[in-house]
Amino acid sequence: MRLWSVHPRYFDRQALTAAWREGLLAQSVIAEPGRGYSNHPQLARFRETAEPLRAIGTFLSGLVDEADARGYRFDRSKIREAKMGERMLVSDGQLAYEWSHLLAKLQRRTPELWERWCDEAMPEPHPLFTVVPGPIASWERPSS
């Protein structure tokens, strides 16, 4: 499961649809603890908020907004709650790690998008997040 901190404008079709599916799964797990991947490390930052269900719903809303802009049809009614009042924090180290991970995927799957974004030093974050200085998140499982 990858719940990206990167703005969905950078995603190829595969990343956008996968993030949507995985976000819906995360929403189910947060709404009904004990289901599925309830101990998945990427859920930690959503659970740490005052309103975890609104946090994941706001994350999903950002994906639907991007899908709408591309003419895709994601079912917004699947979002249980949204409009979280506060933004979540993401470290610049985490955002950089995810950016590198996404660029590697784009290079393999969608070279034309990789070409478009490869010179971008740091992407914008998903609208849910505010970037702060810091390392890769403690819940991240970096690959070698």
Short mmCIF file of all heavy atoms in Angstrom, two decimals, residues 7 12 20 27 31 41 47-48 63 73 83-84 100 105 110 115 128 139:
data_model
loop_
_atom_site.label_atom_id
_atom_site.label_comp_id
_atom_site.label_asym_id
_atom_site.label_seq_id
_atom_site.Cartn_x
_atom_site.Cartn_y
_atom_site.Cartn_z
N HIS A 7 1.80 15.25 -4.72
CA HIS A 7 0.57 15.71 -5.36
C HIS A 7 0.20 14.76 -6.50
O HIS A 7 1.06 14.36 -7.30
CB HIS A 7 0.76 17.12 -5.92
CG HIS A 7 -0.53 17.81 -6.25
ND1 HIS A 7 -1.35 17.40 -7.29
CD2 HIS A 7 -1.15 18.85 -5.65
CE1 HIS A 7 -2.41 18.17 -7.33
NE2 HIS A 7 -2.33 19.07 -6.34
N ASP A 12 1.00 8.88 -13.05
CA ASP A 12 0.47 8.33 -14.29
C ASP A 12 -0.88 7.67 -13.96
O ASP A 12 -1.30 7.65 -12.80
CB ASP A 12 1.46 7.35 -14.94
CG ASP A 12 1.85 6.16 -14.07
OD1 ASP A 12 1.35 6.03 -12.93
OD2 ASP A 12 2.68 5.36 -14.52
N TRP A 20 -6.12 5.46 -5.53
CA TRP A 20 -7.55 5.49 -5.23
C TRP A 20 -7.98 4.18 -4.56
O TRP A 20 -8.62 4.19 -3.51
CB TRP A 20 -8.34 5.75 -6.52
CG TRP A 20 -9.81 5.66 -6.37
CD1 TRP A 20 -10.63 4.72 -6.93
CD2 TRP A 20 -10.68 6.54 -5.64
NE1 TRP A 20 -11.95 4.95 -6.58
CE2 TRP A 20 -12.00 6.07 -5.79
CE3 TRP A 20 -10.46 7.67 -4.86
CZ2 TRP A 20 -13.10 6.69 -5.21
CZ3 TRP A 20 -11.55 8.29 -4.28
CH2 TRP A 20 -12.85 7.80 -4.44
N GLN A 27 -9.31 3.60 4.02
CA GLN A 27 -10.51 4.17 4.64
C GLN A 27 -11.32 3.07 5.35
O GLN A 27 -11.78 3.26 6.48
CB GLN A 27 -11.37 4.85 3.57
CG GLN A 27 -12.67 5.42 4.09
CD GLN A 27 -13.47 6.06 2.97
OE1 GLN A 27 -13.66 7.26 2.99
NE2 GLN A 27 -13.93 5.28 2.01
N ALA A 31 -12.02 2.94 9.31
CA ALA A 31 -13.40 2.97 9.77
C ALA A 31 -13.77 1.72 10.58
O ALA A 31 -14.57 1.79 11.51
CB ALA A 31 -14.35 3.10 8.58
N PRO A 41 1.98 0.11 8.16
CA PRO A 41 2.68 1.29 8.67
C PRO A 41 2.23 2.61 8.04
O PRO A 41 2.28 3.65 8.70
CB PRO A 41 4.15 1.01 8.37
CG PRO A 41 4.19 -0.15 7.45
CD PRO A 41 2.89 -0.88 7.59
N ARG A 47 -3.90 7.77 11.47
CA ARG A 47 -4.44 7.45 12.80
C ARG A 47 -3.97 8.44 13.86
O ARG A 47 -4.62 8.59 14.89
CB ARG A 47 -4.04 6.03 13.19
CG ARG A 47 -4.81 4.99 12.43
CD ARG A 47 -4.68 3.66 13.14
NE ARG A 47 -5.54 2.69 12.54
CZ ARG A 47 -5.10 1.62 11.89
NH1 ARG A 47 -3.81 1.39 11.76
NH2 ARG A 47 -5.96 0.76 11.36
N GLU A 48 -2.85 9.08 13.64
CA GLU A 48 -2.31 10.04 14.61
C GLU A 48 -3.05 11.37 14.60
O GLU A 48 -2.83 12.20 15.47
CB GLU A 48 -0.81 10.26 14.35
CG GLU A 48 0.03 9.05 14.69
CD GLU A 48 1.47 9.17 14.21
OE1 GLU A 48 1.82 10.18 13.54
OE2 GLU A 48 2.25 8.24 14.48
N LEU A 63 -7.41 12.93 -4.65
CA LEU A 63 -7.29 12.01 -5.78
C LEU A 63 -8.47 12.16 -6.73
O LEU A 63 -8.29 12.16 -7.96
CB LEU A 63 -7.20 10.57 -5.29
CG LEU A 63 -6.01 10.23 -4.38
CD1 LEU A 63 -6.11 8.79 -3.92
CD2 LEU A 63 -4.68 10.49 -5.08
N ARG A 73 -13.56 8.87 -14.06
CA ARG A 73 -14.77 8.84 -13.24
C ARG A 73 -14.54 8.00 -11.98
O ARG A 73 -14.80 6.80 -11.97
CB ARG A 73 -15.92 8.26 -14.05
CG ARG A 73 -16.32 9.20 -15.16
CD ARG A 73 -17.78 9.00 -15.54
NE ARG A 73 -18.23 10.11 -16.36
CZ ARG A 73 -18.24 10.10 -17.67
NH1 ARG A 73 -17.80 9.04 -18.33
NH2 ARG A 73 -18.68 11.14 -18.33
N LYS A 83 -13.08 16.89 4.22
CA LYS A 83 -13.00 18.27 4.69
C LYS A 83 -12.39 18.37 6.09
O LYS A 83 -12.98 18.91 7.00
CB LYS A 83 -14.37 18.96 4.67
CG LYS A 83 -15.04 18.92 3.32
CD LYS A 83 -14.32 19.77 2.32
CE LYS A 83 -15.11 19.78 1.02
NZ LYS A 83 -14.34 20.06 -0.13
N MET A 84 -11.21 17.80 6.23
CA MET A 84 -10.49 17.94 7.49
C MET A 84 -10.07 19.40 7.65
O MET A 84 -9.61 20.02 6.71
CB MET A 84 -9.26 17.03 7.49
CG MET A 84 -8.65 16.89 8.85
SD MET A 84 -7.53 15.50 8.93
CE MET A 84 -5.98 16.32 8.72
N SER A 100 11.48 10.15 -5.36
CA SER A 100 12.44 9.24 -5.99
C SER A 100 11.76 7.92 -6.37
O SER A 100 11.96 7.38 -7.46
CB SER A 100 13.61 9.01 -5.03
OG SER A 100 14.47 8.04 -5.54
N LYS A 105 9.21 4.56 -10.82
CA LYS A 105 8.04 3.89 -11.41
C LYS A 105 7.68 4.52 -12.76
O LYS A 105 7.38 3.82 -13.72
CB LYS A 105 6.84 3.96 -10.46
CG LYS A 105 6.95 3.06 -9.26
CD LYS A 105 5.72 3.18 -8.39
CE LYS A 105 5.74 2.18 -7.27
NZ LYS A 105 5.48 0.81 -7.66
N THR A 110 5.91 4.83 -17.67
CA THR A 110 5.40 5.95 -18.46
C THR A 110 6.55 6.92 -18.74
O THR A 110 6.62 8.01 -18.14
CB THR A 110 4.24 6.66 -17.71
OG1 THR A 110 3.41 5.70 -17.09
CG2 THR A 110 3.41 7.52 -18.65
N GLU A 115 10.01 11.90 -18.29
CA GLU A 115 10.73 12.96 -19.00
C GLU A 115 10.21 14.34 -18.58
O GLU A 115 10.98 15.28 -18.40
CB GLU A 115 10.59 12.76 -20.51
CG GLU A 115 11.45 13.65 -21.35
CD GLU A 115 12.93 13.33 -21.25
OE1 GLU A 115 13.30 12.15 -21.14
OE2 GLU A 115 13.73 14.29 -21.28
N LEU A 128 -3.47 17.77 1.05
CA LEU A 128 -3.67 17.50 2.46
C LEU A 128 -2.46 17.87 3.31
O LEU A 128 -2.58 18.10 4.51
CB LEU A 128 -4.01 16.01 2.64
CG LEU A 128 -4.10 15.44 4.06
CD1 LEU A 128 -5.20 16.15 4.86
CD2 LEU A 128 -4.35 13.95 4.02
N TRP A 139 7.65 5.43 10.03
CA TRP A 139 6.83 4.30 9.59
C TRP A 139 7.22 3.80 8.21
O TRP A 139 6.78 2.73 7.79
CB TRP A 139 5.34 4.66 9.60
CG TRP A 139 5.03 5.97 8.96
CD1 TRP A 139 4.79 7.16 9.61
CD2 TRP A 139 4.93 6.26 7.57
NE1 TRP A 139 4.56 8.16 8.70
CE2 TRP A 139 4.63 7.64 7.43
CE3 TRP A 139 5.06 5.49 6.41
CZ2 TRP A 139 4.48 8.26 6.19
CZ3 TRP A 139 4.91 6.10 5.17
CH2 TRP A 139 4.61 7.47 5.08
#
